[in-house]
Every structure is written in structure tokens, then in C-alpha cells.
Amino acid sequence: MGLIITSPLRGWATTLDSVPDPVFARRMMGDGVAIQPLGDTVVAPFDGEVVTLHDAGHAVSLRSAEGAEVLIHVGLDTVMLKGEGFTPLVAVGDRVSRGDPLIRFDLDAVALAATSLITPVIVTNAEVFAISRRTTDAAVGACEALMTLVPVQADARRRSDDGTVVEQAVILSLPHGIHARPAARIGEVARGFEAEMHLVKGDKRGDARSTIALLALGTAFGDEVVVQARGDDAEAALAAIVALLATDMGEGAPVVAARPAIAAAAPLRAGQIGGVIASPGLAMGPAARLQQAEIAVAREGADASEERAALRAARDAVRADIAARSDGASGSVASVMQAHLALIDDPELLAAAESRIAAGNSAGFAWRGAIRDQIAAIRATGNAHLIERIDDLVDIERQTLATLTGTTLDAAVPAGAIVVAGDLLPSQLVTLAAAKPAGLCLARGGPTSHVAILCAGMGLPAIVAMGDALDDVEDGSPLLLDAELGQVTANPPETDTRAFAARLAKRDARRAAAQAAAKDACHSADGARIEIFANLGSVEDARDAAVQGAEGSGLVRSEFLFLDRDTAPSEDEQHAAYQGIADALAGKPVIIRLLDIGGDKPAAYIPIDAEENPALGQRGIRVALAQPDLLETQLRAILRVEPVGQCRIMIPMVASVDELRQVRALVDRLRGEKGIATPVEVGVMVETPAAAMTADLLAAEADFLSIGTNDLTQYVLAMDRGNPAVAAGVDAMHPAVLRLIGETCRLAAIHGRWVGVCGGLASDPAALPILVGLGIAELSAVPGFVAEAKQIVRGLTLVEARAHAELALQCKSAAEVRALARAFEETRR
């Protein structure tokens, strides 16, 4: 017969999963039951002794004669009330009987002031007592049975140390001392080590693994606490607890070491120019300025047949050149070249040019006119995503005109230089890349342009949208390009150059070490498994990712098969591509995003009416569900991949559970038709605020959730990520975006579902510690960043990552978060 714990309150009993606080919902303090109170008096749940009573009167813990320790915590964040509305009826050390009143509180006043009235009842020494029975989803009265506890065999800890105790004093930064939430964090860290650990305040000493013992210390802000550790890993354990206690654990007080350094993003100094990060990294070298002169062409043509033949010959030559670049490229370079091939082959473009030739224009003037008509039509749509693709049309125009006129477009750039230009066309970047530049600075451009995508795929640090200030940078002047903070320093002082060179050398050394360990599985420094996947757009990408040590693919952009063509790919064509990716990753997980058409990715064979705001219209799964034949064909192709189950299915742009259910039902029907018994996982992309805020509802039916930070950021900030006018503000490190990521993780954890990030933030080294701290279990980056991402995660402990993430959530802007990230990195060098 076990120990019966009765309800300390009248109310509705529910599970800890329903508590909107990760400390309780994740059982960081221990297991138990939560109560939504209907009464105003907390009573003793058994005969025992009052062990702790918080000064704020909101929390009390008791110990039974058998040794069971139970904490009753009235409401959430009620410590902030500082006793208002609470009347303690007992004192520490009092002996009480079951049903004796412990605390009385003003139900209405506390309900209005607190985050929630829900009251967790926690067994804090779970290593001694387990819950064999509990009451949930039912009304309970005070003193009615709530839980039954049974003793468990104590875990005999291995002891092979020499008995030496190591200790260190720390001043508490916790504004309310060690109350329930910080005690849970401390206990969680302590349980990650073998060493015995205690905290000492004056003549009181408490086991770091015991919530009640820590509460009994009676600490306050500014108190000195001595941390003691004894055991084989005592020094590591001591360092971890001291590091945690040096922070405010997100409670709102200044962090002694970090806050003064990152109170706000430092303003740009003289010689510094800010911009938008298009591809993260560091580079130093001389400026290599590119001047792009307009190619002159005659208006009037000669014989129309001769002009027509000249244009066709020039197109053929350009097409052959693009095809050669495509054949010798992989990943993002190949995909951009394929897009250019589609443009050069566009029959309407050729017909428009030949119509102008028939009217008397030269081949060059006719071609330019046909291109400019297309550009005007695109601008008239008002779609910023499409407008950003105008560069591709300009690129095709320049290449063809250069061939017609014999103009040389290639510009000489010294190896190791930083390219400086007003803007750059994709073909120019591909050509320049052969010279091995160190980085790229553009006055214009956007973070989602083809040039930005190419830079990220090449691992070339790049900053765009730098404005007219870039005009003042002289050719050959030394530059320090910091594509982690989004700024460039021109003509830096020697001290800055030496410091930057040292930083760059350390980064290169870390990259070399990362590459050496690229094939090893990724675990945090304290052993947590964090998977590092790769984003893919082709079979070639998959091969590159495998070389970099990718543990799977968190995002296969299946639209690479659907775009820049006149008809949809067949089931066999799709299956061949998916099978090739699966084979390249040798049995590792492959998450295929279902067709994500619409917005900035139109397909000629999928009719979508003109929309005032395509980003808020027919996109992602909305289009797929409206085209059931396309969707079913794609699902059949995925289900044919061997081995069955290696490929997982991910639904883009989800906004409701119903969309998930429709796809799940179709997958199950097709599995039945094919006789597939093996489960096939179906997950959702969290790209809308609706999906983030209902992640618990989605997680109840999805197998996993993956956050697309690019779209999520534009929807949260109401800034179009393809619009250069607002591009500088579209930063996924904005606290609002980070808070939604954290909330997604918290809600998904209620149903035990993992959450990944497959958006651009997963390829940002400054963001990785924050994402891990928010609860992200899988990061899918560009292939070239996979090895480095693994190395960054291996250097983190979950404790420090969580503390860092909590600080990030309290920042006021993306700039402040990035400054915090920089300070965090500095402390770890």
C-alpha cells in the first residue's frame, strides 16, 4: 500500500502537460498533478512537517514521515506579487495533519495579477518516490485522493573519488532568490553530473538535486551562496552550476557578466557601413570595385533576316555557355543556371524580339526592348518576390547583348579581394567566384535574391542593401567584412585589423576542426542529441551534404522538379530524383517538402488568378490541395522510395489542423493501395503565426514540426522579405520571432514531438546557441555549413544555451539579440 497524497485544493485536476510553463510541463522539478483551483485555501495533503514557505507566501513544501517531499505552488509567476493576496497560516518547522490549512489567498485578486492560477502539486524527490496512481481530468475536493506514491530503490551513485570537495562562491542575480523555477533549473543541471553537489548559505546547506532543500536555503537577490561539489566530475559540475547562478535565469535582473556589454547594439563608428546579411561569415581584404557600363546598341537594324539570324546565333551561344556552367555546377549554382536556361528558351521573349526586328530594329535593340517589356510587366504585378527576379532577366539581356556586340563582361578581381558593387547579376557572381574572392558587398540587392542564395551555397560572406554609403569605398582600400554583425569597416585602424585577423584565424581553425569531425554524430557538450541535417535542392546537393557529414535532410525543396518547365514532372521522374537523394544519404532521414508553389514561385501549368498580395494567397499546401492530381502523384512518387519510411513528408504553409488531416488521409489511402505497412511520418512546416500558436494542436496529430524562419519572420514582422525597401528589418533574430520559436517548442513538447528549424536561421552561427536553448532538436542548414554547425553545438551545454536563449527573449530588437550573441561568443573563445 502506498502513501496517499490528497488534494490540497478544491478544483479541477489535470496533467502537468497543461501547465503553460516548461519548468512544470517538462517535469524539471518532478512529477505530479496540476489543479485549477476553485477554493481559496491550501490544506496539508498528508501528515508531516512544513519544510519551506516562501516569503511571498505563494509556495509551501512538506515532508512526510516516510520521507516524501511535496511542493504546492499556487499559480504561475506569483512570486512577482511579493505576498500581495497571500496569507500564510503556518511557519517552517510546524507539524501539520492532513487537512490543516497552510495558505489562504484572494482568489480573484491573484487570478487578475498572475499569469495563471493553475497550481502544480509536485513530488520533488522522484528518485525516492514514484507515482503509481493519480487523478486527472476530474473534479477533486480538498482532502480527496490525488496521488498514490510508492518507494523506489535508491540509485546508488558510483563513488571513486578521493573525497576532495571543490567549492566556489557566487553572488545571486536572481531577483527573488532561489524559488521554485530556478530550483528546478539547478536540479536539472546537477542531475547531469555524477558528483555530489550542495549549495550553502550561512549555516544552511541543501542538496542541489533537491528542490525543497534549495527552497529551504531562503535566499534573496544579492546573497552570497557557496557551491560545493565532490566526485569524479566535480570541477565540471561546479563550473556548470556557478555559470547558471551567475545569470538571472530569465527572471529579469541584470546579468553581472553579460548585460552591461550588450545593453544595446553598438552604433556604427566612422568608417563602418551597415547592411543586411545575405550570407554569414567573416572576410578581410582589399576592395575590388566593379563598374558595370551600359552596353550600347544601335536602334536601326539592317536586313531583318540578318538581324534575326544574329539574334538567334547570340542566343544559341549564350545558351551553350549557361548549359556548360550548369553541367559543371551543383546545388544552388546549378539551379540558378537552370532558371536562366528557361529564360533564354522562352518562346514569347524570342517572338517579341523578332516582332521588333520586323519593325526595323536591330537585334540588340529588339532584344533589349523585349526584355524591358517583360520587366515592366513584372513590376506592374507589385509582387516584390517576382520583382527581385528581374535581375535574372537583366542578366540574360547583358549576356546576349555582349555576345552580339563583342563586349567583354568579365571583370578582373584579385584572389582574396572583397567585391564592391552597386548590384551583381548571378552570372557575374558565378564568373567572379572562379577568382576566389573573400567576400561581397552590394549597395542594393535583397537577402533572398539569387545572388544571396548563390553566396550562401558557396560559403562566400556577403552583405547587401548597404546603400549609397558604399559609394565612398575606394578601389583597393582595406576592408573588414563582418557578415555576422552586418557591417563593413573601411580603412580600419591597425588595432582593429589585428583583432579581426585573430578572430578570423580562430574561425578558420574551428572550421578545420569541424571538418575533421564532420562525420561524427552531433551531441551537445552535456550529451544531448541535436541532429544536424542539410537543406537540399537536387541530388548533387545531397552528395555535397553527405561529404559534409549531414545526418539527413531536413528540407528537400521538391519544387526544383516543378519550376521552369511547361508541364508537371511525372511520377517516374519525381521518384528517380527522390530515390537519388535517398541513396546519396545512405539510409539517413530525408524530409521532402510537398510542392510549395505560389507567391514568388509560380508554375506556368498551375493556374493561379492574379492576387493583390500573393504572399497571403494561394501558396504551399493551399495550392497542392486545390490540385489533387499533382499532390497525389507526388505522394505516390515519395512512397515508392526504398527503403520505405526513409523519406518523410512535410507539409508547407500550414495554418490549420484540417490541412494536416487531409494530407494524412491521402497518405494513408495511398499506403493502403500500395500495401505499405511501414509507417511513413508526416510533419508540418511552421511558417505562419497560426501554426506556431497552435503547435500543440498540430503536434497532437503530426509526427514532427519544422520551422521555416524565412516566411515566419516576414509574417510576424509584417515585412515582405523580398522587398528591398524593408529588407534591413527582416531579421529572424527579432525577439518576436524567437519567442514564437520558443512557444512552438513548448507546445510541441506537450505531445512529445520534436521541433526542427529548416529556415535560414539554422545556417546562422550566431543563432544556433539560441535555437538549441529554445528547445530545437534538429537544425537543417545549407550543406556547406553542416560541419561547422556540428562543431558549434558540440561546444554548448543545454544549461548555458537555455540561459542564453532566455536572455535573448528579453532583448528589445534583433540588433540587441545579435549583440548578445556576439558577447556570448566572446565569452567562449
Side-chain angles (χ1 to χ4, degrees), residues 727-789:
V730 185
D731 191 335
M733 290 279 257
H734 192 287
V737 180
L738 297 180
R739 289 187 179 201
L740 272 188
I741 293 172
E743 186 68 1
T744 301
C745 293
R746 186 186 72 79
L747 293 173
I750 293 173
H751 297 284
R753 295 292 185 258
W754 62 264
V755 179
V757 169
C758 61
L761 207 58
S763 299
D764 187 338
L768 262 56
I770 296 173
L771 294 176
V772 171
L774 291 174
I776 296 299
E778 176 258 355
L779 296 157
S780 194
V782 295
F785 183 63
V786 166
E788 187 175 355

Side-chain angles (χ1 to χ4, degrees), residues 808-821:
L809 297 183
Q810 305 308 313
C811 290
K812 298 176 179 62
S813 65
E816 189 173 334
V817 173
R818 290 198 174 277
L820 171 68

Side-chain angles (χ1 to χ4, degrees), residues 784-809:
F785 183 63
V786 166
E788 187 175 355
K790 283 185 169 185
Q791 196 74 349
I792 290 172
V793 172
R794 289 183 185 120
L796 297 169
T797 66
L798 289 186
V799 175
E800 62 186 355
R802 286 168 181 159
H804 179 48
E806 287 176 355
L807 292 177
L809 297 183

Side-chain angles (χ1 to χ4, degrees), residues 268 727 814:
L268 295 174

